[in-house]
């Protein structure tokens, strides 16, 4: 049997190129030889305040984005988390084998709670729900960007704790982290690209071309370096986007050429930015076209319903076993 892979994404706002290069393109390629389950994690999204109507629309929209990016519902289970409430049930059980201290150490919790007047318990136990997502399907691999690695380490620890207390059941899931696992903000290349930092910091996969061009043109670089010096974070980030786009397009010659210009001190950043824009648009244009076709086809509800039906079968089987092992009511 092919190895099972699970991953999730929050339906908060549009997909950005950090999500795409860091995770989603790997989600797509893993479909070739793995048994893949991908989830739009709406339970996670309500850890921060979000309008219910907006959330529902965003979950649907994220499904369209993912399919446009190459997630193939014929081969892969694609569904919305809250359609399978076993995720929440398992999170409770796993919460009972998770250390308070372990959760308090989570970097994302510290970042997301910093300066907030109200910090929900949901935000604190967010990583337990993430562990439940993965372990509910007894997944072996989890394709993610670098910012999720600490959560994955905790998932492994939770699996070990459960197994030690109730008996061997969960495999310890391995993170699958590839190139592009940490794409940086264009406006401030010392922080990772994210939606929460604001408009100027990210490029949306479905964003308007003119707006993308403007953001790349004004991306932070440096004031020109001596030949042979190491790249500044902004320039390195632009090269990374160029390299990743080139890899997907099967042509990395431009990246190699501009890199040697950089090394000899001859590179003009305006050329680098033009090249990044051209290559990136070659990757994004077909995705945008597919997205527009899907929008009008109206098949997304059926895809998500079928995905949830398939996920539920696996989830129910595993939660029944967990209930049995933990001494809870079965049947
Ligand atoms: P989320 O929704 O923030 O991000 C989805 C995926 O995109 C990756 N990513 C990045 N990769 C490279 N560079 C960046 N700048 C960048 N920003 C985001 C993330 O690492 C992630 O892989 N907690 C998760 C969702 C989740 C999940 C799960 C993931 C819930 N349950 C189970 C895996 C398994 C999250 O908030 O990802």
């Amino acid at each position: 049997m092919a190895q099972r892979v699970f991953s999730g994404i929050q339906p908060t706002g549009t997909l950005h190129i950090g999500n795409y290069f860091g995770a989603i393109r790997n989600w797509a390629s893993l479909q070739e030889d793995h048994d893949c389950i991908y989830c739009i994690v709406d339970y996670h999204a309500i850890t921060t305040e979000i309008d219910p109507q907006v959330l529902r629309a965003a979950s649907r929209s994220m499904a369209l984005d993912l399919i446009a990016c190459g997630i193939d519902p014929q081969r892969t289970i694609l569904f919305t988390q809250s359609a399978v409430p076993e995720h929440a049930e398992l999170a409770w059980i796993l919460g009972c084998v998770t250390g308070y201290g372990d959760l308090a150490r989570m970097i994302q919790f510290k970042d997301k709670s910093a300066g907030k007047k109200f910090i929900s318990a949901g935000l604190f136990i967010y990583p337990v729900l993430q562990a439940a997502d993965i372990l509910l399907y007894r997944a072996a691999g989890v394709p993610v960007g670098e910012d999720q690695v600490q959560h994955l380490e905790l998932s492994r620890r939770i699996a070990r704790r459960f197994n030690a207390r109730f008996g061997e059941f969960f495999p310890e899931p391995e993170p699958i982290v590839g190139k592009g696992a940490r794409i940086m903000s264009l406006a401030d290349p010392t922080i990772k690209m994210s939606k929460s930092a604001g408009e100027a910091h990210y490029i949306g996969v479905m964003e308007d071309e003119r707006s993308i061009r403007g953001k790349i043109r004004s991306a932070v670089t440096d004031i020109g370096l001596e030949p042979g010096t190491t790249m500044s974070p902004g320039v390195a980030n632009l090269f990374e986007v160029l390299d990743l786009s080139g890899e997907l397009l099967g042509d990395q010659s431009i990246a190699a050429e501009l890199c040697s210009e950089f090394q000899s001190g001859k590179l003009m950043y305006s050329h680098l930015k033009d090249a990044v824009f051209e290559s990136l648009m070659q990757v994004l244009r077909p995705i945008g076209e597919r997205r527009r076709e899907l929008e009008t086809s109206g098949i997304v509800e059926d895809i998500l319903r079928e995905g949830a039906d398939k996920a539920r079968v696996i989830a129910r089987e595993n939660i029944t076993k967990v209930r049995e092992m933990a001494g809870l009511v079965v049947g």
Side-chain angles (χ1 to χ4, degrees), residues 6-10 16 18-19 22-23 41 44 126 130 133-134 142 144-145 147-148 180-183 192-193:
F6 180 97
S7 201
I9 186 162
Q10 291 204 62
H16 58 68
N19 300 132
V41 294
H44 280 99
Y126 178 114
Q130 181 160 349
D133 296 340
I134 302 162
V142 187
V144 282
D147 62 349
Q148 295 302 316
R182 193 170 171 80
I183 301 294
K192 70 166 187 185
M193 180 174 286

Side-chain angles (χ1 to χ4, degrees), residues 115-190:
K116 291 264 161 65
K117 267 205 294 235
F118 174 75
I119 302 165
S120 70
L123 189 64
F124 189 64
I125 59 167
Y126 178 114
V128 182
L129 180 57
Q130 181 160 349
D133 296 340
I134 302 162
L135 299 181
L136 186 57
Y137 302 94
R138 302 172 84 198
V142 187
V144 282
E146 213 176 86
D147 62 349
Q148 295 302 316
V149 169
Q150 194 192 30
H151 285 167
L152 259 288
E153 274 160 18
L154 181 60
S155 297
R156 294 164 62 83
R157 209 180 164 96
I158 293 173
R160 281 199 294 278
R161 285 253 183 78
F162 178 95
N163 292 346
R165 178 163 159 188
F166 296 114
E168 204 57 43
F169 185 59
F170 293 122
E172 287 182 36
E174 291 286 343
I176 303 173
V177 179
K179 270 170 79 178
R182 193 170 171 80
I183 301 294
M184 308 308 278
S185 151
L186 297 176
D188 177 1
T190 62

Side-chain angles (χ1 to χ4, degrees), residues 4-322:
R4 179 165 294 157
V5 154
F6 180 97
S7 201
I9 186 162
Q10 291 204 62
T12 39
T14 50
L15 200 64
H16 58 68
I17 62 166
N19 300 132
Y20 181 70
F21 287 125
I24 311 307
R25 79 189 171 106
N26 293 334
W27 291 18
S29 60
L30 283 161
Q31 297 176 121
E32 299 300 325
D33 45 11
H34 290 76
D35 162 20
C36 298
I37 306 179
Y38 298 135
C39 182
I40 297 156
V41 294
D42 56 350
Y43 279 145
H44 280 99
I46 60 167
T47 53
T48 46
E49 244 179 79
I50 181 165
D51 179 272
Q53 304 294 337
V54 171
L55 175 62
R56 192 164 292 120
S59 298
R60 177 183 184 275
S61 173
M62 181 56 77
L64 289 169
D65 289 354
L66 294 174
I67 301 165
C69 287
I71 303 309
D72 175 4
Q74 302 291 336
R75 290 188 287 178
T76 290
I77 298 179
L78 177 67
F79 72 107
T80 314
Q81 189 182 30
S82 64
V84 186
E86 285 78 2
H87 287 249
E89 181 179 349
L90 185 59
W92 174 258
I93 298 168
L94 296 181
C96 300
V97 295
T98 305
Y100 176 90
D102 286 337
L103 290 173
R105 270 192 293 279
M106 292 294 114
I107 296 162
Q108 286 219 330
F109 173 69
K110 289 184 194 166
D111 286 351
K112 288 189 177 172
S113 58
K116 291 264 161 65
K117 267 205 294 235
F118 174 75
I119 302 165
S120 70
L123 189 64
F124 189 64
I125 59 167
Y126 178 114
V128 182
L129 180 57
Q130 181 160 349
D133 296 340
I134 302 162
L135 299 181
L136 186 57
Y137 302 94
R138 302 172 84 198
V142 187
V144 282
E146 213 176 86
D147 62 349
Q148 295 302 316
V149 169
Q150 194 192 30
H151 285 167
L152 259 288
E153 274 160 18
L154 181 60
S155 297
R156 294 164 62 83
R157 209 180 164 96
I158 293 173
R160 281 199 294 278
R161 285 253 183 78
F162 178 95
N163 292 346
R165 178 163 159 188
F166 296 114
E168 204 57 43
F169 185 59
F170 293 122
E172 287 182 36
E174 291 286 343
I176 303 173
V177 179
K179 270 170 79 178
R182 193 170 171 80
I183 301 294
M184 308 308 278
S185 151
L186 297 176
D188 177 1
T190 62
I191 58 169
K192 70 166 187 185
M193 180 174 286
S194 74
K195 289 163 272 197
S196 50
E199 265 285 318
H201 293 267
Y202 69 88
I203 292 180
V205 171
M206 311 299 164
E207 197 169 320
D208 171 69
E209 268 197 57
R210 282 196 20 221
S211 161
I212 296 180
R213 189 193 286 275
K215 286 184 183 176
I216 293 177
R217 283 219 175 121
S218 51
V220 170
T221 48
D222 56 58
I223 46 164
L225 295 170
E226 292 295 308
T229 28
T230 46
M231 278 180 197
S232 63
V235 175
N237 195 40
L238 288 172
F239 265 109
E240 174 140 39
V241 173
L242 183 62
D243 188 49
L244 290 161
S245 304
E247 189 179 302
L248 284 168
L249 300 167
D251 177 11
Q252 274 155 311
S253 58
I254 305 164
E257 195 183 302
L258 294 179
C259 194
S260 75
E261 283 184 19
F262 174 85
Q263 271 146 10
S264 57
K266 292 193 192 110
L267 177 67
M268 279 169 66
Y269 290 150
S270 58
H271 287 172
L272 173 62
K273 288 178 172 181
D274 286 346
V276 170
F277 174 72
E278 292 305 332
S279 300
L280 184 61
M281 285 323 303
Q282 280 185 57
V283 173
L284 300 186
R285 260 182 226 118
I287 297 177
E289 273 159 31
R290 272 200 300 277
R291 175 70 166 74
R292 281 186 288 278
E293 285 164 18
L294 285 162
E295 178 83 72
T296 49
S297 72
I299 53 168
V300 71
E301 280 74 18
D302 289 343
I303 289 173
L304 289 174
R305 197 173 315 110
E306 280 167 32
D309 287 346
K310 289 183 199 153
R312 218 174 282 123
V313 172
I314 307 168
R316 287 208 176 132
E317 190 184 321
N318 288 335
I319 204 79
T320 304
K321 184 73 186 150
V322 167

